[in-house]
Amino acid sequence: KNYVETRIGYETKVGNLKPYIELGPAWETGNGEDTETFKQVEVGSKIKLTDNLGAKVKAEFTSPDAGDGVVEWKYEGTLTYEF
């Protein structure tokens, strides 16, 4: 299967936070199958906790254009330390 995403977004800085939002369409095509079209929205933020410690949180929502498809939610959180 092939999966293509096209997104446009906005990011800003507020104190130690860098919140962002991205949205756009996605397409999934399989061998000999019809192409499925989806709408996607992702929101999240990078967070600077200290000079060496940072975090990132995000949530992604994917909704098929066909009304009978399953809506998918993804959540992710990361914590990083730079030596």
Side-chain angles (χ1 to χ4, degrees):
K1 289 189 173 188
N2 294 317
Y3 193 78
V4 177
E5 295 178 347
T6 304
R7 295 186 183 181
I8 187 167
Y10 176 77
E11 180 180 71
T12 189
K13 186 170 180 171
V14 180
N16 289 343
L17 303 176
K18 280 190 177 179
Y20 69 92
I21 184 168
E22 298 176 352
L23 53 104
W27 300 270
E28 183 177 78
T29 305
N31 293 335
E33 298 176 9
D34 290 338
T35 299
E36 294 183 61
T37 307
F38 303 88
K39 294 180 184 85
Q40 293 185 319
V41 176
E42 181 178 316
V43 294
S45 184
K46 297 174 187 171
I47 307 161
K48 185 175 182 178
L49 302 169
T50 68
D51 287 342
N52 295 24
L53 187 63
K56 181 177 179 181
V57 294
K58 71 177 184 177
E60 182 180 305
F61 167 79
T62 302
S63 176
D65 282 345
D68 58 349
V70 175
V71 175
E72 184 177 297
W73 283 92
K74 294 180 186 175
Y75 302 97
E76 183 179 323
T78 58
L79 188 64
T80 55
Y81 184 83
E82 295 182 19
F83 294 94

